[in-house]
Amino acid sequence: THCHLNMPQFKGQIEAIIDEAKAVGVERFVSVAFDEASSDEIVSLSGRSLAAGDPVRLFLESVAAIITQQRVLIDFAAKQNLLAYSSGD
């Protein structure tokens, strides 16, 4: 689905990680940012960014919006059921 190659624990290991993944058949990576700084870091790692109208970018943004919406609905449902599963005082 996606990865976070820009995480601090991977610093200095990116090339080895990519080489190992390619050795077992991975052809592409979707590395996802979680804030503006990590977005800049991903662009730096990959050497490319998707233009605003790029179909791949539009697809990924659509998927991200759906995932965000579903997560919000799941969180809401969980909070609604919290009391039903609680016990004690």
Side-chain angles (χ1 to χ4, degrees):
T1 63
H2 73 279
C3 57
H4 296 277
L5 292 176
N6 56 317
M7 297 295 288
Q9 58 264 40
F10 300 132
K11 282 206 185 291
Q13 303 175 53
I14 302 296
E15 292 301 321
I17 291 169
I18 291 172
D19 290 344
E20 186 176 332
K22 285 182 177 179
V24 296
V26 175
E27 296 178 8
R28 296 184 179 162
F29 299 84
V30 175
S31 192
V32 180
F34 41 84
D35 58 20
E36 189 173 344
S38 66
S39 179
D40 293 341
E41 198 169 354
I42 289 169
V43 171
S44 174
L45 285 172
S46 68
R48 83 181 267 234
S49 178
L50 297 174
D54 187 303
V56 173
R57 181 183 184 136
L58 296 174
F59 171 76
L60 293 173
E61 287 175 343
S62 298
V63 170
I66 291 167
I67 290 169
T68 300
Q69 180 184 21
Q70 292 302 310
R71 189 183 73 214
V72 168
L73 292 173
I74 290 167
D75 287 348
F76 177 76
K79 288 175 184 171
Q80 295 301 308
N81 290 314
L82 189 60
L83 293 176
Y85 294 106
S86 65
S87 62
D89 295 330

